[in-house]
């Protein structure tokens, strides 16, 4: 269990931070950017939860916890050992939820604009932050060892948030669709 007695440590005042294995790295290191963006995505999910129904809120609460798992995985480079690692069962759960939500939605006839009701709009913001985190993790994986289940999880999560935004908009009147060339 994590126990934090002191929040202000001054350990990062020189522009470095500690990874989960104790190694010190620059705060702008790609690994730190990756797990920092996962943290940002998690904060965006907190905003989505402000607008979510009870069932969606429960899903999002679980996902927020899983994003801490993702951050824990990313902050410890190297072999898993006894360290917490993301597992493909977490991605499979997201896939099941995507299928369940999507089953009640009409087929898409156009691209969806990131808009609609407040719940959908905030889900779209969270989705784009997750996509950015995914891109950073992919870039990190090109340079260092990364658990491939993390990339899969972030990819599924962005899909999940897209379908969740559609679910929210369906409850509020429907998606806002792109009309190509509408303002020419």
């Amino acid at each position: 269990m994590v126990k934090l007695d002191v929040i202000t440590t001054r350990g990062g005042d020189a522009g470095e931070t500690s990874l989960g294995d104790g190694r010190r790295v620059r705060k702008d290191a790609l690994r730190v950017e990756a797990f920092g963006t996962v943290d940002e995505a998690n904060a965006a999910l907190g905003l989505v939860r402000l607008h979510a129904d009870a069932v969606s809120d429960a899903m999002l609460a679980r996902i927020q916890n899983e994003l801490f798992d993702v951050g824990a995985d990313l902050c410890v480079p190297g072999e898993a050992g006894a360290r917490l690692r993301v597992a493909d069962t977490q991605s499979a759960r997201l896939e099941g939820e995507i299928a369940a939500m999507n089953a009640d939605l009409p087929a898409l006839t156009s691209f969806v604009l990131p808009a609609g009701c407040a719940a959908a709009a905030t889900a779209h913001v969270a989705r784009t932050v997750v996509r950015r985190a995914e891109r950073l993790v992919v870039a990190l994986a090109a340079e260092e060892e990364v658990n491939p289940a993390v990339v899969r999880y972030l990819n599924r999560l962005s899909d999940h948030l897209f379908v969740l935004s559609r679910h929210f908009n369906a409850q509020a009147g429907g998606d806002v669709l792109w009309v190509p060339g509408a303002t020419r």
Side-chain angles (χ1 to χ4, degrees):
M1 186 56 65
V2 175
K3 183 178 182 214
L4 301 173
D5 292 327
V6 178
I7 302 302
T8 304
T9 64
R10 295 179 181 82
D13 289 353
E16 291 187 341
T17 191
S18 294
L19 296 179
D21 63 2
R23 188 168 30 122
R24 301 286 293 170
V25 296
R26 288 175 46 103
K27 287 186 174 188
D28 62 354
L30 190 52
R31 184 171 294 276
V32 177
E33 285 285 341
F35 65 70
T37 305
V38 168
D39 186 39
E40 186 180 342
N42 206 339
L45 286 179
L47 292 175
V48 179
R49 291 183 67 190
L50 293 173
H51 307 285
D53 56 78
V55 172
S56 299
D57 183 61
M59 278 192 307
L60 292 167
R62 191 203 70 251
I63 291 167
Q64 281 193 297
N65 194 74
E66 289 175 345
L67 283 175
F68 263 74
D69 292 351
V70 171
D73 192 319
L74 289 170
C75 85
V76 182
E79 293 297 317
R83 300 292 189 164
L84 176 63
R85 294 296 187 214
V86 171
D88 282 326
T89 55
Q90 293 164 301
S91 295
R93 187 181 313 104
L94 291 175
E95 285 182 23
E97 291 170 356
I98 290 167
M101 287 186 292
N102 207 41
D104 296 331
L105 297 173
L108 283 173
T109 58
S110 179
F111 287 106
V112 174
L113 296 179
C117 67
T122 56
H124 278 296
V125 170
R127 174 186 57 78
T128 63
V129 178
V130 169
R131 281 287 189 213
R132 181 161 31 94
E134 179 187 9
R135 290 190 302 270
L136 287 166
V137 172
V138 167
L140 176 64
E143 295 182 10
E144 300 180 38
E145 185 178 339
V146 171
N147 176 1
V150 169
V151 177
R152 287 188 290 273
Y153 181 84
L154 293 172
N155 189 30
R156 292 309 171 285
L157 180 55
S158 62
D159 294 341
H160 188 284
L161 292 169
F162 175 77
V163 175
L164 182 62
S165 72
R166 294 198 66 220
H167 164 77
F168 289 145
N169 273 339
Q171 294 174 335
D175 290 312
V176 180
L177 300 178
W178 174 46
V179 180
T183 61
R184 282 196 240 171

